């Protein structure tokens, strides 16, 4: 076993503690984890096992391998405290950090430095990863500030006034940056009054615990972090959170001021470059980190090695050592917290961290010397010591008594010199005290100037009269602002309501417009139907006309037959009939013919007398005359009607095309506009949107009005065309009249056509009376036509 033995150092100016973090999920294999670290139950000692060639052992043999003492070397260390894997944030704070905070409150400078490989829990220990005041994950920084504020509140001595300030900085690539304010790179300065300090670093007055989280959040967001193989959120920078507590106590003998500073240092990962597999810029970065960590090691080495009365301490070799000069110089209560991982992979780094921490224990020549090193070295050291002691004893026993007296005389002389030195030091101190009084005075003035930011101890802040009156003022202001806001909101609500009403109105209007459009479309459809009907009727007329023409042709033939009969009976052909035949070949009137033929057929040819012939001649002349007139009129009317109908048809057709085009454009535009309105209405109902809707609606209304007018006019025109007589007064009246006439004449003609000529023989009296009846009805009908 390798012993790093020694007494537990009991130096309250420098404490070294170790925290072993629990294994991470990635370090646990098949639910099993082999720890290289074992913490003693007294939490003062720890052993780290160096398993030989463990990487060559198969997984299944591991348990057996690690339990065999011949397979490992044991290193044992003793520290002020060792936190095992299951330690809580609260335990770490209460047992270690709280002492530093107490020192700060007593007016000391205290520092807590977190050291260790990336991913071992430095940031977790210093910050914790929570901004919730009630979380058990809170780290040392928030807990320290909570503790300071509790102290201020609980302090029974109300004559003490406190002021708490915070700063947060980062050292990255040897550049110092303010983490609480955007600023260029900062420099370290030193003066007699303030000692070592960062020039222009912002300090923020913290008035309550709530403000801590704001500052931490702000600072953490600015920290330079990057991914490495070891830990994805590893920080490659050193971060220092500084809490300054100033306090003035009023006593009977006068005022006394105290200033305590608490530095909370989260160092960058202590691992070597090759461990993180860095290259390029990252390599440079790691070198700088290594450089600053080596400087830290050198400073500690210089402090711990006995190099005479005034040894050179290389604080200036890096920014971090320069900044921590106070903390490492001995006039500060410093706590080293070294973090290690218990994983086998991390063994090398864990051991080197423990050695570093062990070395740090000896800062300021503490009476306890704890060495690290193997057993052989220790033994050699013991041997050398024994040899040295033996030599000294021999030399002393050889020395004569006279020499001893001389030596005593020398020592006496030296003691006198020391006394004189002490006296001058005392005088110097008195001078310093005077200066200190002056300084206190100035401080007092400064504190009274910063009165607004002061916190009164021994009393809850909210109970002080200043606080109460400020609170009341603030409340009045808030109430007034609240009222104003309410009025504003009410106004806004009303305007929204109005806008809504307007929108509803427009909606209604739109609906109405839509209904009108539907109605118009229906009417247009009706009109189209009417046109179709008219077209059909026209076709019927045409058909009827053709039939009429056929009939006329037939009658022409019959007239000719008639003529023949006249010739046969040697009756002179009336002039009328001849004219008729010649002039009006197309206007052959078959109806009369039909009638006459029927008549002739019903009278036996032998019974015809001259009287009868004359009578018959007159009758035919009369009937033919009549018929010619009617036919003339009928043909003229029909021509007129056809022309008129053709014209109307064209007009309607054109109207229809034009209207369809206009309608399509209008409907398309209206639809787009409605889409836009709906889009505005469904999106956020802002004032702007409602304004747009109103505008859009106005436009739409105008568009519809303009667009609908021609349609209305067309429709009106159509209606006036169908109903009124202003445009072509006789058109429809004529058509209707012709329609009736046509219907009548058609019916008549059909009837007449059905009256087939009877055979000339076997004419019975009954048949004769039937004929008369028919003749009469035909005459009546013609009369009607
Ligand atoms: P470092 O700052 O040293 O690089 P972190 O503080 O970022 O390491 O810790 C690395 C990871 O380990 C984090 O996920 C952290 O939550 C976890 N961790 C570290 N220490 C502890 C602990 N004592 N208990 C629980 N988790 C821890
Ligand atoms: Mg970290």
């Amino acid at each position: 076993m390798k012993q790093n033995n020694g007494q537990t150092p009991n130096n309250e100016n420098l404490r070294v503690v170790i925290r072993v973090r629990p294994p991470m999920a990635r370090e646990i294999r098949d639910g099993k984890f082999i720890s290289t670290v074992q913490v003693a139950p007294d939490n003062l000692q720890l052993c780290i096992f160096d398993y030989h060639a463990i990487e060559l052992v198969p997984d299944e043999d591991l348990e057996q391998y690690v339990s065999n003492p011949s397979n490992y070397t044991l290193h044992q260390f003793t520290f002020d405290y060792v936190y095992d894997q299951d330690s809580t944030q609260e335990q770490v704070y209460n047992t270690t950090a709280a002492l530093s905070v107490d020192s700060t409150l007593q007016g000391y400078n205290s520092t807590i430095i977190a050291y260790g490989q990336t991913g071992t829990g430095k940031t977790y220990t210093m910050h914790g990863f929570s901004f919730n005041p009630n979380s058990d994950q809170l780290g040392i920084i928030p807990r320290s500030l909570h503790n300071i504020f509790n102290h201020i509140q609980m302090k029974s001595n109300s004559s003490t006034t406190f002021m708490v300030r915070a700063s947060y900085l980062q050292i990255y690539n040897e550049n110092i940056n303010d983490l609480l304010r955007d600023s260029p790179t900062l420099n370290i300065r030193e003066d007699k009054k303030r000692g070592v300090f960062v020039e222009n670093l912002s300090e923020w007055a913290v008035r309550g615990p709530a403000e801590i989280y704001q500052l931490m959040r702000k600072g953490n967001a600015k920290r330079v972090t990057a991914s490495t193989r070891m830990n994805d959120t590893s920080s490659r920078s050193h971060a220092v959170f500084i809490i300054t507590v100033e306090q003035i106590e009023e006593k009977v003998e006068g005022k006394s001021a105290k200033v305590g500073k608490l530095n909370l240092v989260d160092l960058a990962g202590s691992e070597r470059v090759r461990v993180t597999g860095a290259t390029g810029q990252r390599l440079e970065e790691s070198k700088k980190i290594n450089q600053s960590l080596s400087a830290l090691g050198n400073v500690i080495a210089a402090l711990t090695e006995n190099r005479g009365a005034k040894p050179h301490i290389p604080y200036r070799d890096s920014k971090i050592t320069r900044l921590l000069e106070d903390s490492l110089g001995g006039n500060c209560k410093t706590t080293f917290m070294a973090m290690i991982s218990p994983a086998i992979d991390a063994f090398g780094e864990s051991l080197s961290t423990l050695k570093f921490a062990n070395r740090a224990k000896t800062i300021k020549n503490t009476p306890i010397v704890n060495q690290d090193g193997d057993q052989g070295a220790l033994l050699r050291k013991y041997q050398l010591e024994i040899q040295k002691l033996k030599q000294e004893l021999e030399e002393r026993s050889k020395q004569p008594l006279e020499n001893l007296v001389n030596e005593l005389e020398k020592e006496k002389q030296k003691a006198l010199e020391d006394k004189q030195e002490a006296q001058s030091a005392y005088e110097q101190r008195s001078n310093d005290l005077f200066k200190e009084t002056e300084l206190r005075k100035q401080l007092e003035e400064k504190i009274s100037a910063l009165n607004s930011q002061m916190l009164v101890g021994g009393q809850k802040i909210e109970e002080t009269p200043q606080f109460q009156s400020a609170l009341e003022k603030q409340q009045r202001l808030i109430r007034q602002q609240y009222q104003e806001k309410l009025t504003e909101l009410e106004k806004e609500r009303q305007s929204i309501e109005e806008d809504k009403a307007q929108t509803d109105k427009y909606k209604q209007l739109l609906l109405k417009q839509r209904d009108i459009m539907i109605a118009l479309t229906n009417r247009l459809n009706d009109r189209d139907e009417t046109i179709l009907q008219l077209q059909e009727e026209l076709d019927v007329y045409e058909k009827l006309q053709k039939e009429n023409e056929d009939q006329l042709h037939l009658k022409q033939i019959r007239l000719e037959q008639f003529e023949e009969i006249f010739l046969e009976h040697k009756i002179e052909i009336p002039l009328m009939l001849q004219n008729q035949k010649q002039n009006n070949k197309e206007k052959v009137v078959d109806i009369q013919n039909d009638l006459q033929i029927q008549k002739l057929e019903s009278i036996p040819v032998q019974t015809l007398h001259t009287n009868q012939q004359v009578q018959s001649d007159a009758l035919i002349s009369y009937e033919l005359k009549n018929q010619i007139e009617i036919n003339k009129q009928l043909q003229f009317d029909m021509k007129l009607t056809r022309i008129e109908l053709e014209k109307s048809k064209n007009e309607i057709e054109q109207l229809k095309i034009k209207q369809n085009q206009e309608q399509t454009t209008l409907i398309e535009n209206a639809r787009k506009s409605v889409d836009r309105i709906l889009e505005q209405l469904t999106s956020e109902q802002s004032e702007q949107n409602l304004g747009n809707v109103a505008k859009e609606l106005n436009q739409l209304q105008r568009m519809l009005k303009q667009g609908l007018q021609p349609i209305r006019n067309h429709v009106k025109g159509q209606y006036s065309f169908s109903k009124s007589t202003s445009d072509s007064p006789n058109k429809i009246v004529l058509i209707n009249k012709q329609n009736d006439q046509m219907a009548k004449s058609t019916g008549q003609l059909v009837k007449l056509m059905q009256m087939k000529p009877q055979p000339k023989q076997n004419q019975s009296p009954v048949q004769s009376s039937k004929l008369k009846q028919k003749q009469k009805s035909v005459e009546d009908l013609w009369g009607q036509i």
Side-chain angles (χ1 to χ4, degrees):
M1 190 201 279
K2 295 184 179 182
Q3 288 278 334
N4 299 285
N5 214 349
Q7 296 149 275
T8 304
N10 191 16
N11 173 13
E12 69 167 80
N13 288 338
L14 190 114
R15 281 173 296 135
V16 179
V17 303
I18 306 294
R19 188 175 192 188
V20 184
R21 76 141 161 74
M24 286 175 161
R26 65 175 160 82
E27 295 166 340
I28 300 169
R29 260 187 276 167
D30 299 333
K32 285 178 195 157
F33 177 74
I34 292 169
S35 174
T36 59
V37 181
Q38 200 178 327
V39 179
D42 62 0
N43 287 100
L44 295 175
Q45 293 192 352
L46 113 167
C47 296
I48 183 160
F49 297 81
D50 183 3
Y51 295 110
H52 310 309
I54 196 163
E55 60 280 4
L56 306 174
V57 181
D59 280 1
E60 57 273 23
D61 301 339
L62 267 177
E63 254 175 283
Q64 203 197 338
Y65 184 85
V66 298
S67 58
N68 184 349
S70 64
N71 290 332
Y72 58 78
T73 312
L74 196 64
H75 302 260
Q76 191 181 335
F77 294 90
T78 305
F79 293 102
D80 291 297
Y81 205 93
V82 181
Y83 294 96
D84 206 355
Q85 300 173 17
D86 53 0
S87 63
T88 63
Q89 296 280 71
E90 191 182 9
Q91 281 166 358
V92 173
Y93 181 80
N94 289 343
T95 321
T96 299
L99 301 174
S100 302
V101 176
D102 287 347
S103 301
T104 305
L105 287 167
Q106 284 163 30
Y108 289 105
N109 286 345
S110 311
T111 299
I112 301 175
I113 301 172
Y115 181 94
Q117 184 189 5
T118 297
T120 48
K122 297 182 295 295
T123 310
Y124 176 76
T125 303
M126 297 311 274
H127 290 261
F129 294 108
S130 170
F131 295 103
N132 174 4
N134 301 317
S135 168
D136 55 6
Q137 296 295 301
L138 290 181
I140 290 172
I141 296 174
R143 282 175 198 271
S144 301
L145 282 154
H146 275 290
N147 194 352
I148 289 167
F149 286 112
N150 281 344
H151 172 85
I152 293 170
Q153 272 195 4
M154 300 305 286
K155 204 167 187 295
S156 57
N157 178 4
S158 62
S159 60
T160 308
T161 308
F162 289 86
M163 186 186 218
V164 183
R165 297 193 302 270
S167 301
Y168 199 8
L169 65 89
Q170 162 187 270
I171 304 176
Y172 173 67
N173 273 349
E174 284 300 275
N175 290 324
I176 303 178
N177 291 108
D178 196 330
L179 286 177
L180 299 181
R181 184 173 70 175
D182 286 328
S183 71
T185 307
L186 305 176
N187 293 313
I188 297 175
R189 292 260 179 276
E190 189 174 5
D191 72 29
K192 276 182 192 157
K193 251 192 201 169
R194 291 181 66 181
V196 176
F197 66 98
V198 179
E199 195 179 40
N200 293 328
L201 177 68
S202 66
E203 282 195 306
W204 301 73
V206 188
R207 281 153 298 192
E211 291 179 8
I212 306 162
Y213 300 99
Q214 226 174 314
L215 293 176
M216 278 172 61
R217 226 187 273 267
K218 199 172 170 184
N220 287 359
K222 283 190 80 179
R223 266 197 90 172
V224 177
T225 55
S227 166
T228 71
R229 210 165 59 194
M230 303 296 289
N231 182 351
D232 282 348
T233 54
S234 150
S235 168
R236 311 301 301 153
S237 61
H238 311 293
V240 185
F241 198 97
I242 304 162
I243 304 167
T244 310
V245 183
E246 270 184 37
Q247 46 188 305
I248 290 180
E249 197 177 350
E250 281 178 66
K251 288 181 185 166
V252 190
E253 61 268 26
K255 284 183 180 177
S256 80
K258 271 194 270 185
V259 183
K261 223 179 209 184
L262 179 62
N263 301 305
L264 300 163
V265 186
D266 181 8
L267 293 176
S270 61
E271 64 276 1
R272 306 227 167 263
V273 173
R274 60 184 160 76
V275 181
T276 48
T279 53
Q281 193 200 335
R282 181 59 50 76
L283 183 71
E284 286 306 306
E285 184 187 273
S286 299
K287 274 182 185 169
K288 287 251 167 75
I289 291 159
N290 280 354
Q291 182 192 325
S292 67
L293 288 166
S294 315
L296 184 64
N298 294 340
V299 166
I300 288 168
L303 285 167
T304 55
E305 281 165 18
N306 196 357
R307 293 183 184 174
K310 267 201 164 182
H312 169 69
I313 313 290
Y315 291 118
R316 286 173 181 262
D317 284 4
S318 81
K319 294 275 161 62
I320 190 75
T321 46
R322 186 86 209 282
L323 193 69
L324 296 179
E325 194 172 323
D326 268 350
S327 316
L328 300 167
N331 198 21
C332 175
K333 302 209 171 194
T334 301
T335 304
F336 259 103
M337 295 191 87
M339 317 292 166
I340 57 168
S341 156
I344 288 171
D345 290 350
F347 170 79
E349 287 299 334
S350 300
L351 182 63
S352 96
T353 299
L354 289 171
K355 284 181 176 177
F356 183 89
N358 198 50
R359 187 167 202 142
K361 285 195 303 190
T362 58
I363 291 176
K364 283 202 75 187
N365 295 326
T366 48
I368 302 112
V369 178
N370 289 298
Q371 299 165 308
D372 72 293
D374 53 36
Q375 215 175 14
L378 193 70
L379 205 64
R380 268 202 308 279
K381 211 171 179 182
Y382 281 160
Q383 280 170 347
L384 281 173
E385 192 72 25
I386 289 164
Q387 217 176 329
K388 211 172 120 192
L389 285 169
K390 269 184 186 168
Q391 265 181 4
E392 208 177 306
L393 189 68
E394 265 174 38
E395 271 171 29
R396 275 181 185 267
S397 52
K398 275 185 217 162
Q399 272 179 2
L401 201 64
E402 202 180 313
N403 286 354
L404 279 174
V405 173
N406 278 344
E407 220 164 271
L408 268 174
E409 197 58 41
K410 269 185 195 165
E411 270 177 17
K412 191 185 156 195
Q413 190 61 35
K414 198 168 180 279
L416 269 172
E417 279 171 19
D418 284 352
K419 193 188 159 193
Q420 268 173 0
E421 220 171 90
Q423 229 163 5
S424 63
Y426 174 71
E427 275 164 20
Q428 178 68 34
R429 193 102 180 95
S430 301
N431 261 344
D432 287 350
L433 199 68
F434 177 73
K435 280 183 190 164
E436 177 73 17
T437 319
E438 284 294 300
L439 190 74
R440 278 182 192 176
K441 234 187 220 170
Q442 283 172 14
L443 203 63
E444 219 177 289
E445 279 164 16
K446 185 181 161 196
I447 296 220
S448 69
L450 294 168
N451 204 24
S452 64
Q453 296 176 53
M454 279 197 241
L455 305 162
V456 179
Q459 186 175 1
K460 286 194 174 175
I461 300 162
E462 50 284 14
E463 283 165 8
T464 61
Q466 297 98 314
F467 184 87
Q468 286 296 340
S469 76
L471 188 71
E472 271 168 30
K473 204 172 152 197
Q474 194 66 19
Q475 278 174 344
R476 265 202 305 279
L477 199 73
I478 290 168
R479 217 171 294 135
Q480 194 187 333
Q481 280 171 353
Y482 176 73
Q483 277 304 336
E484 279 167 14
K485 195 85 202 157
L486 262 184
T487 333
E488 223 171 84
L489 279 173
E490 179 57 26
K491 263 188 207 162
E492 227 167 82
R493 195 190 59 79
Q494 274 175 6
S495 123
I496 288 170
E497 203 92 312
E498 278 165 20
D499 284 348
K500 217 181 127 199
Q502 191 77 0
T503 312
D504 285 347
K505 219 171 104 189
Y506 282 129
K507 261 192 199 166
Q508 290 299 327
L509 216 67
L510 262 178
L511 286 174
K512 240 186 213 169
Q513 306 271 35
R514 200 197 57 186
D515 290 347
I516 290 168
M517 275 171 71
I518 291 169
L520 285 175
T521 315
N522 286 341
R523 280 186 200 176
L524 280 171
N525 288 342
D526 288 352
R527 191 207 55 190
D528 286 350
E529 243 168 63
T530 314
I531 291 167
L532 279 176
Q533 271 173 13
L534 284 172
Q535 182 68 45
E536 271 170 27
E537 274 172 28
L538 191 69
D539 291 347
V540 172
Y541 290 155
E542 275 171 358
K543 204 175 148 200
L544 278 175
Q545 202 203 358
K546 198 168 178 299
E547 277 173 9
N548 272 348
E549 276 168 8
D550 291 348
Q551 288 287 344
L552 280 169
H553 183 68
L554 202 69
K555 287 196 194 275
Q556 183 71 26
I557 294 166
R558 286 196 180 171
L559 265 176
E560 279 166 8
Q561 282 175 351
F562 212 36
E563 224 176 57
E564 270 170 37
I565 293 166
F566 280 151
L567 280 173
E568 217 174 282
H569 291 277
K570 293 190 179 97
I571 301 165
E572 198 192 336
I573 298 165
L575 195 64
M576 283 272 291
L577 190 60
Q578 278 173 8
N579 285 345
Q580 174 70 21
K581 201 185 154 198
Q582 280 164 10
N583 299 340
N584 206 14
K585 268 195 179 167
E586 305 101 54
K587 299 177 196 170
V588 183
V589 185
D590 59 349
I591 301 162
Q592 192 61 40
N593 280 353
D594 197 25
L595 184 72
Q596 286 303 323
I597 286 163
Q598 279 193 20
K599 256 187 187 172
L600 288 173
E601 277 171 352
S602 64
I603 304 161
V605 176
Q606 293 86 353
T607 59
L608 281 171
H609 300 288
T610 315
N611 272 354
Q612 281 174 324
Q613 278 171 12
V614 173
Q615 241 180 0
S616 165
D617 190 22
L619 181 68
I620 289 166
S621 301
Y622 173 76
E623 288 295 343
L624 277 175
K625 209 176 166 185
N626 255 353
Q627 202 165 344
I628 287 160
E629 281 304 306
I630 288 166
N631 262 348
K632 253 187 193 170
Q633 185 60 43
L634 197 62
Q635 285 228 329
F636 175 75
D637 285 355
M638 274 180 63
K639 230 184 207 162
L640 205 71
T641 310
R642 209 182 306 155
I643 291 164
E644 289 291 346
L645 269 173
E646 205 57 46
K647 233 167 102 185
S648 321
K649 213 172 110 187
N650 284 343
E651 260 175 39
I652 288 165
E653 208 54 52
Q654 272 173 8
L655 255 175
K656 224 167 94 181
I657 291 163
K658 199 176 161 204
Q659 256 172 255
N660 275 346
Q661 280 171 353
E662 280 173 5
Q663 232 177 309
T664 316
T665 328
L666 179 72
I667 289 168
E668 191 53 36
N669 287 343
R671 198 174 56 75
K672 276 182 191 165
S673 183
V674 171
D675 280 353
R676 279 199 297 275
I677 291 165
L678 288 178
E679 199 181 305
Q680 299 269 18
L681 286 172
T682 48
S683 67
E684 195 197 343
Q685 295 237 335
S686 68
E687 215 170 297
Q688 166 93 26
N689 276 353
L690 286 169
N692 286 346
V693 170
K695 251 187 241 165
E696 195 68 57
L697 281 167
N698 259 333
Q699 219 174 317
L700 178 67
Q701 203 182 10
R702 231 179 299 132
M703 187 168 72
L704 284 171
K705 242 185 216 167
Q706 281 167 4
L708 282 173
Q709 205 53 46
I711 294 182
R712 276 200 196 116
N713 290 346
H714 285 320
V715 173
K716 252 189 220 161
Q718 272 318 109
Y719 274 86
S720 65
F721 166 74
S722 334
K723 286 173 182 161
S724 85
T725 51
S726 63
D727 195 17
S728 57
N730 293 320
K731 250 188 241 170
I732 295 302
V733 177
L734 201 69
I735 289 169
N736 288 343
K737 213 168 110 190
Q738 284 169 351
N739 210 4
D740 289 350
Q741 266 182 355
M742 282 287 203
K744 277 180 188 165
S745 60
T746 311
Q748 198 63 48
L749 285 168
V750 170
K751 268 187 186 167
L752 285 173
M753 291 302 285
Q754 282 167 350
M755 291 181 190
K756 294 241 166 79
Q758 296 295 317
K760 285 175 192 174
Q761 289 85 16
N762 311 325
Q763 191 82 29
S764 67
V766 183
Q767 277 171 330
S768 178
S769 74
K770 253 190 189 171
L771 189 70
K772 269 181 194 158
Q773 226 176 315
K774 271 186 189 175
Q775 189 180 347
K776 180 136 190 344
S777 74
V778 170
E779 277 166 3
D780 286 349
L781 278 169
W782 272 109
Q784 282 171 20
I785 292 168

